[in-house]
């Protein structure tokens, strides 16, 4: 079966870049990305590529090549579904906030809404692809909604559906490279016609050996498991980092030593401020919920401890900063470098910076927050504390802690007590340490939670230096 028209519901961090790459690699396929969010769609259509709603290296170039040719962004969800042979569901699946499973289970209301939209608007044979990360057996829910629509329809022969699971493994900041050169593409399904149709899209640029076929439940569960394993490695190394600090060991050396064992491997062993991002926490909690649901309490508590350790680690860092600054940071000026959950993205969802900055503000500190891609509005939403007016004089800060958005790090250094690096942006690797030394109040602290500063070169300066996992 030759796919000619694709519709992707959800123009977010996954839908946008994934469809841009499919359009780029398959010029003969018309790709329509649809979303209910009008602002997001208008930004995808903005002539100024700087305004795309998502920052990813390489994304703007691909969008500029395909947009208006075979890549289209619109709010016409129903119409685009009706014209498509294949519909990807790429909507958000956050943790439920209330009701059954609140705090752990994934909220599938957006996925269910999509299934109903497809059921109502599809025509002919339509392949529905789960791109969102979903609890194992969600395909059953989607199938029953689609099947019910067939029964409702007057001409039951007109509509037929197949459901596939095709989870996405891209990481933000490297999304385009991950999509162009994936380690694997996973397709779970039952019907070889639809599996082959989807495989033939990826096979335009991915070798056959990397396109894995499984049953649909294995595919759904493999996605949750992959994220759980990755997050578990980070919690493991952060736990060992805390022990390094207590014992005189250095977590970078421990990582190198264990990572050169080919059974362990070197990736995902960087100790940091704690993992963030929209998915690790929610996907593990979802796994925990599933285990509890199936009565596997020990398995549930094993995975839950990965999240517990991560929460503890973020709090550990903010407490440590306070302790090092003589036990009080009230009215102290602290420069925060980086607010995104990792480098090369403007995404702040679950960023460790949120908890750490909130803790420091609650302790009374004045934070001067810099990030090359995260806006002041986004930081305000995340911290739930209004920033101080940019023009306000520093000495007019009031008793309670607060924060200010900065764009010029050097201009903000005067009388600062500490610099805290929370995101590994390239530009933070080469700060002007001469200037920082001359402008900051002594003793001046540098806290590097990302190990991006060369520890030997900073020793030349008059700083107190702390980096994560360094007990040496
Ligand atoms: P997102 O919040 O950035 O985007 C989802 C979009 O779907 C939103 O713009 C929303 O308006 C839209 N939407 C929701 N319901 C809709 C509907 N009924 N009709 C039309 N549009 C609708 O989410 P995301 O980060 O792209 O994640 C999407 C899914 O992919 C999640 O399940 C996530 O777990 C998974 N995932 C995310 C990443 C990542 O790096 N962000 C990586 C792999 C997998
Ligand atoms: C992660 C997975 O890597 C993707 O495969 C998956 O598709 C995606 O989640 C998802 O399902 O959403 P992402 O969250 O974008 O991707 O980014 P990662 O590179 O995995 O980083 C996650 C967090 O872990 C970041 O806060 C990062 O700084 C932190 N991290 C990562 C470390 O602290 N140490 C490491 O060694 C690696």
């Amino acid at each position: 079966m030759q796919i000619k028209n694709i519709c992707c519901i959800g123009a977010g961090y996954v839908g946008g870049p994934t469809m841009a790459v499919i359009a780029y690699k398959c010029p003969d396929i018309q790709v329509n990305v649809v979303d209910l969010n009008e602002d997001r769609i208008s930004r995808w259509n903005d002539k100024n590529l700087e305004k795309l709603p998502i920052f990813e290296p390489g994304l703007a170039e691909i969008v500029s090549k395909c947009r208006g040719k075979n890549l289209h962004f619109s709010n016409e969800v129903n119409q685009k579904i009706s014209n498509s042979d294949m519909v990807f569901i790429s909507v958000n699946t956050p943790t439920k906030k209330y009701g059954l499973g609140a705090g752990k289970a994934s909220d599938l209301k957006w996925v269910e809404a999509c299934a109903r939209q497809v059921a109502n608007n599809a025509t002919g044979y339509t392949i529905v692809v789960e791109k969102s990360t979903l609890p194992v057996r969600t395909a059953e829910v989607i199938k029953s909604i689609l099947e019910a629509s067939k029964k409702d329809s007057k001409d039951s022969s007109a509509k037929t559906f197949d459901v596939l699971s095709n989870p996405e493994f891209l990481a933000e900041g490297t999304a385009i490279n991950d999509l162009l050169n994936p380690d694997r593409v996973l397709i779970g399904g039952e019907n070889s016609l639809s599996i082959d149709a989807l495989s033939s899209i990826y096979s335009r640029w991915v070798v056959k050996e990397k396109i894995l076929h499984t049953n649909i439940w294995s595919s759904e569960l493999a996605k949750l498991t992959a994220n759980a394993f990755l997050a578990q490695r980070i919690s493991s190394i952060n736990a060992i980092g805390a022990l390094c600090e207590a014992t005189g060991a250095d977590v970078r050396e421990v990582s190198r030593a264990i990572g050169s064992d080919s059974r362990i491997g070197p990736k995902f062993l960087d100790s940091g401020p704690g993992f963030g991002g929209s998915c690790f926490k929610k996907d593990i909690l979802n796994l925990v919920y599933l285990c509890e649901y199936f009565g596997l309490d020990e398995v549930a508590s094993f995975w839950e401890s990965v999240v517990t350790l991560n929460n503890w680690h973020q709090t550990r860092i903010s407490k440590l900063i306070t302790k090092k600054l003589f036990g009080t940071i009230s009215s102290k000026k602290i420069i925060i470098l980086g607010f995104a959950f990792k480098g090369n993205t403007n995404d702040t969802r679950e960023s460790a910076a949120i908890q750490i900055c909130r803790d420091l503000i609650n302790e009374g500190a004045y934070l001067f927050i810099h990030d090359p891609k995260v806006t002041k509005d986004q930081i305000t939403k995340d911290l739930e504390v209004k920033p101080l007016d940019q023009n306000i004089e520093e000495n007019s800060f009031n008793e309670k802690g607060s924060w200010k958005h900065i764009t010029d790090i050097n201009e903000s250094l005067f009388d600062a007590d500490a610099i805290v690096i929370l995101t590994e942006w390239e530009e933070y690797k080469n700060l002007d340490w001469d200037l920082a030394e001359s402008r900051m109040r002594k003793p001046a602290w540098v806290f590097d939670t990302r190990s991006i500063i060369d520890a030997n070169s900073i020793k030349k300066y008059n700083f107190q230096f702390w980096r994560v996992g360094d007990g040496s």
Side-chain angles (χ1 to χ4, degrees), residues 133 168-172 223 227 230 234 238 267-280 283 341-342 424 450:
T133 303
E168 184 47 62
F169 295 100
L170 67 79
E172 288 178 32
K223 172 63 196 177
N227 274 0
L230 291 170
I234 302 170
N238 284 338
K267 293 185 182 164
F268 267 71
L269 288 180
D270 292 332
S271 185
F275 61 75
S278 60
C279 295
F280 279 175
D283 291 347
F341 81 96
K342 64 187 277 198
E424 70 282 26
R450 293 285 188 173

Side-chain angles (χ1 to χ4, degrees), residues 175-313:
I176 298 300
N177 187 45
D178 296 342
L179 287 162
L180 291 172
N181 307 294
D183 284 347
R184 79 313 209 172
V185 168
L186 180 56
I187 300 175
E190 288 150 4
N191 180 344
S192 59
L193 178 78
S194 54
I195 294 173
D196 291 348
L198 183 56
S199 302
S200 73
I201 293 175
Y202 287 110
S203 63
R204 314 274 187 108
W205 75 97
V206 181
V207 294
K208 214 170 113 214
E209 295 67 35
K210 287 191 174 179
I211 303 178
L212 311 182
H213 296 164
T214 64
N215 80 33
I216 201 157
W217 318 127
S218 306
S219 172
E220 289 177 335
L221 187 55
K223 172 63 196 177
L224 290 183
T225 310
N227 274 0
F229 268 58
L230 291 170
Q232 171 269 324
R233 277 174 78 99
I234 302 170
S235 278
S236 298
I237 203 67
N238 284 338
I240 296 299
L243 190 59
C244 287
E245 287 169 32
T247 56
D250 181 337
V251 77
R252 282 145 294 272
E253 293 180 351
V254 174
S255 290
R256 185 153 52 92
I258 62 167
S260 40
D261 182 327
S262 61
R263 293 169 302 174
I264 297 175
K267 293 185 182 164
F268 267 71
L269 288 180
D270 292 332
S271 185
F275 61 75
S278 60
C279 295
F280 279 175
K281 186 172 167 189
K282 97 171 157 60
D283 291 347
I284 297 178
L285 291 175
N286 185 213
L287 195 62
V288 169
Y289 178 74
L290 285 169
C291 295
E292 285 171 353
Y293 179 84
F294 289 107
L296 301 166
D297 292 346
E298 286 74 12
V299 185
S301 68
F302 170 73
W303 286 113
E304 194 162 19
S305 70
V306 173
V307 175
T308 309
L309 194 290
N310 196 54
N311 295 340
W312 168 78
H313 180 65

Side-chain angles (χ1 to χ4, degrees), residues 22-40:
I22 290 183
Y24 176 58
K25 289 290 181 183
C26 310
D28 54 317
I29 299 181
Q30 288 295 317
V31 180
N32 281 288
V33 189
V34 295
D35 204 294
L36 298 172
N37 184 326
E38 290 182 7
D39 175 56
R40 212 166 210 185

